[in-house]
Amino acid sequence: MVDVPECAVVHVVDDDGDLGAAVARLLVRNGYCARAFTGPAAMLHHHANAPAHCVVTDVMMGDTDGFALAQELRTLDQSAAIIFMTAWPTTANAVDAVRHHGGLDYLEKPIDEDRLLSAVAEGVGWSKRRRTALARIAPLTPRERDVLNHLAQGMSNKMVAGQLGLSPKTIEDHRASIVAKTGIANAAGLIALMRDVHEE
């Protein structure tokens, strides 16, 4: 059984209701709060009120496809990991899935259960880190975010001041506010925070 410290939410989307339900049951047995949907519209509506950490979606689904679903999901939520699955794998689609649609993995049917569980665990971990990071920077002002982005590149206060045309004292004040709001005082921590914010 995969070690899931808390009940991470996973949505499964497949127009084959039996297969979607089977995948959801597998995830539930492994400690996830999983729910199956037979279409993108129902999942997106549910996700708006109860966001998932990870979405496992079929690629080919009647009038739509998993890639269109991924685009809509990314507009709604930048922090949900996406895993594609398909019975008709092609190299071109696999590349599209990962590079152009924010997919974490591309699984062939019949699904390899171990690979699925590994991919979902990775996706949930990524989602939790990203949500936590975005929550930490949410209180920052636009100027503080600008300063943080520069600090996260390893710049000193003086270097950031030069880049932004501000005084070192002003940068020190912004940095103090960033530390107070994020709870992160050291440069390494700020770099890690912004890596989680921007990691795709």
Side-chain angles (χ1 to χ4, degrees):
M1 184 178 236
V2 175
D3 181 23
V4 183
E6 60 184 66
C7 195
V9 178
V10 183
H11 293 160
V12 180
V13 188
D14 198 312
D15 58 356
D16 181 337
D18 291 339
L19 179 58
V23 171
R25 284 195 299 271
L26 170 66
L27 294 170
V28 169
R29 286 198 305 272
N30 282 272
Y32 294 98
C33 292
R35 177 172 176 175
F37 300 85
T38 55
M43 191 284 289
L44 289 168
H45 178 75
H46 185 77
H47 188 94
N49 299 307
H53 295 96
C54 184
V55 174
V56 180
T57 179
D58 191 18
V59 172
M60 303 303 294
M61 295 182 288
D63 295 334
T64 187
D65 61 53
F67 297 151
L69 166 60
Q71 290 178 326
E72 289 189 58
L73 181 60
R74 279 285 163 262
T75 300
L76 181 68
D77 183 356
Q78 292 290 319
S79 301
I82 303 171
I83 297 169
F84 295 107
M85 54 183 179
T86 184
W88 308 100
T90 67
T91 301
N93 277 349
V95 171
D96 280 347
V98 176
R99 292 187 180 176
H100 302 302
H101 302 286
L104 176 69
D105 206 343
Y106 190 90
L107 308 178
E108 297 180 21
K109 296 178 180 179
I111 299 298
D112 180 314
E113 292 187 1
D114 289 339
R115 185 174 172 188
L116 171 66
L117 292 172
S118 176
V120 169
E122 181 183 348
V124 167
W126 173 86
S127 177
K128 288 183 176 182
R129 289 192 304 273
R130 187 174 174 89
R131 289 192 199 284
T132 298
L134 289 173
R136 280 187 132 162
I137 69 169
L140 302 182
T141 66
R143 174 58 82 186
E144 288 168 349
R145 292 192 189 198
D146 202 10
V147 170
L148 175 55
N149 278 321
H150 284 77
L151 291 172
Q153 295 173 37
M155 295 185 183
S156 65
N157 288 355
K158 186 175 181 180
M159 292 169 67
V160 176
Q163 287 283 319
L164 299 181
L166 300 170
S167 71
K169 177 62 170 67
T170 298
I171 299 302
E172 287 177 16
D173 290 343
H174 283 311
R175 185 169 190 155
S177 181
I178 291 168
V179 169
K181 291 178 180 179
T182 65
I184 300 173
N186 58 69
L190 294 176
I191 291 171
L193 173 66
M194 296 311 289
R195 183 179 62 240
D196 289 340
V197 166
H198 295 299
E199 182 184 5
E200 297 295 337

